[in-house]
């Protein structure tokens, strides 16, 4: 579990760190005094506790940059003022803690945040039972139907993986970030580079079919994906 605490008050950083250690003894949080330091770490975090009023880049601006880099991060704002609550909600903040931070409330929020991380991790992975293999969804470029098998095209060293499965089965497991562009293709919208009325280009250069009558539906789905935190991984 990767957790970051960004606050310009050392006493708050130490308090939050101690509360995390009490609840998750094997977790070693990273601490930052500014938003710039946090963003400069270029590390993937599961949970970030973020002060809103900081010197330099404030917490709202920092959170926007974090969201652009990692859309599934669990953001928890810590502040002495309630006035920023609506801006925090606009950034899909998981929670909003007021200073001074009460231990009982912190314990409740962290427990829920850890549960949310577990749910999001499960959504990011595809387990292939027959091959005892787990794939990160972000590594899947697209899936192609091949008679009784499907070919999973990946961005990693695994290349193309063939398994016995149906497109319907995989579409149900992968969820809304994948679009069934054609009866033979299921596309990861994070890896789309361009499209026209009958094809979609993937980040590795491959082109897959887009059924012409689904073009309008596809454009709506892709625009919704981009507007709701989806980030093309290209």
């Amino acid at each position: 579990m990767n957790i970051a605490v960004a606050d310009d008050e050392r006493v708050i950083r130490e308090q939050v760190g101690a509360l995390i250690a009490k609840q998750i003894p094997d977790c070693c949080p990273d601490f930052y005094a500014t938003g710039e330091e946090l963003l400069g770490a270029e590390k993937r975090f599961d949970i970030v506790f973020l002060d809103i009023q900081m010197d330099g880049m404030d917490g709202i601006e920092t959170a926007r940059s974090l969201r652009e880099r990692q859309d599934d991060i669990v953001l928890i704002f810590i502040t002495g003022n309630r006035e920023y609550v609506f801006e925090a909600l606009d950034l899909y903040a998981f929670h909003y803690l007021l200073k001074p931070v009460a231990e009982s409330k912190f314990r409740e929020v962290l427990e829920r945040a850890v549960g949310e991380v577990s749910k999001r991790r499960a959504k990011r992975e595809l387990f292939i039972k027959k091959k005892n293999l787990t794939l990160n969804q972000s590594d899947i470029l697209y899936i192609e139907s091949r008679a009784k098998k499907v070919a999973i095209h990946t961005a990693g060293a695994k290349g193309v993986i063939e398994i016995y499965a149906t497109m319907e089965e995989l579409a149900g497991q992968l969820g809304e970030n994948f679009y069934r562009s054609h009866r033979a293709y299921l596309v990861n919208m994070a890896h789309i580079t361009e499209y026209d009325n009958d094809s979609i280009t993937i980040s590795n250069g491959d082109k897959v079919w887009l059924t012409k009558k689904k073009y309008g539906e596809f454009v709506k789905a892709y625009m919704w994906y981009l507007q709701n935190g989806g980030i093309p991984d290209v």
Side-chain angles (χ1 to χ4, degrees):
M1 181 76 62
N2 292 324
I3 299 179
V5 180
D7 196 301
D8 58 0
E9 295 182 71
R10 182 173 59 84
V11 66
I12 297 295
R13 295 197 301 272
E14 290 177 351
Q15 179 195 12
V16 172
L19 290 172
I20 293 170
K22 214 177 204 183
Q23 204 160 333
I24 315 175
D26 59 347
C27 178
C28 296
D30 292 351
F31 299 95
Y32 304 95
T34 67
E36 289 87 348
E37 285 182 15
L38 172 60
L39 293 171
E42 295 187 349
K43 183 175 177 180
R44 186 181 183 90
F45 292 105
D46 299 300
I47 301 171
V48 172
F49 290 92
L50 186 59
D51 184 20
I52 290 182
Q53 293 177 297
M54 295 187 289
D55 292 335
M57 182 182 285
D58 65 26
I60 297 295
E61 190 179 350
T62 302
R64 286 199 183 97
S65 296
L66 285 172
R67 275 275 180 252
E68 289 173 4
R69 181 186 300 178
Q70 184 186 336
D71 67 332
D72 61 349
I73 198 166
V74 175
L75 284 173
I76 301 171
F77 286 107
I78 302 177
T79 183
N81 296 307
R82 295 177 183 272
E83 63 187 271
Y84 298 100
V85 66
F86 293 110
E87 289 180 89
L89 291 173
D90 283 343
L91 289 161
Y92 302 100
F94 182 75
H95 208 87
Y96 191 92
L97 288 170
L98 286 172
K99 297 178 183 178
V101 179
E103 182 173 348
S104 58
K105 186 64 178 177
F106 185 91
R107 186 168 56 249
E108 173 200 329
V109 170
L110 180 55
E111 183 177 343
R112 286 174 47 222
V114 169
E116 182 65 19
V117 169
S118 297
K119 285 194 290 185
R120 294 184 186 188
R121 279 181 176 173
K123 287 180 180 178
R124 293 200 304 261
E125 294 178 340
L126 174 67
F127 179 63
I128 303 170
K129 187 176 181 180
K130 292 173 184 175
K131 288 186 177 285
N132 196 26
L133 176 67
T134 300
L135 292 177
N136 192 308
Q137 289 192 21
S138 64
D139 290 334
I140 299 172
L141 302 173
Y142 65 97
I143 298 173
E144 176 187 7
S145 176
R146 293 180 178 176
K148 293 182 179 180
K149 289 185 177 183
V150 296
I152 302 172
H153 296 255
T154 75
K158 294 182 177 68
V160 180
I161 302 166
E162 279 199 345
I163 61 170
Y164 285 99
T166 66
M167 296 292 276
E168 289 74 17
E169 177 187 349
L170 294 179
Q173 290 182 56
L174 291 167
E176 61 191 16
N177 289 349
F178 285 74
Y179 184 80
R180 186 81 178 270
S181 65
H182 181 275
R183 60 186 176 82
Y185 293 103
L186 185 61
V187 180
N188 185 347
M189 289 193 278
H191 286 284
I192 293 173
T193 58
E194 59 182 290
Y195 59 88
D196 55 33
N197 64 349
D198 63 2
S199 68
I200 296 171
T201 304
I202 310 300
S203 57
N204 67 344
D206 289 356
K207 281 194 173 187
V208 303
W209 291 111
L210 170 60
T211 303
K212 286 186 178 181
K213 66 181 180 181
K214 295 186 76 172
Y215 177 77
E217 177 188 281
F218 162 72
V219 171
K220 286 181 182 178
Y222 188 51
M223 290 303 106
W224 185 93
Y225 167 78
L226 294 177
Q227 291 164 12
N228 286 274
I231 302 172
D233 190 15
V234 297

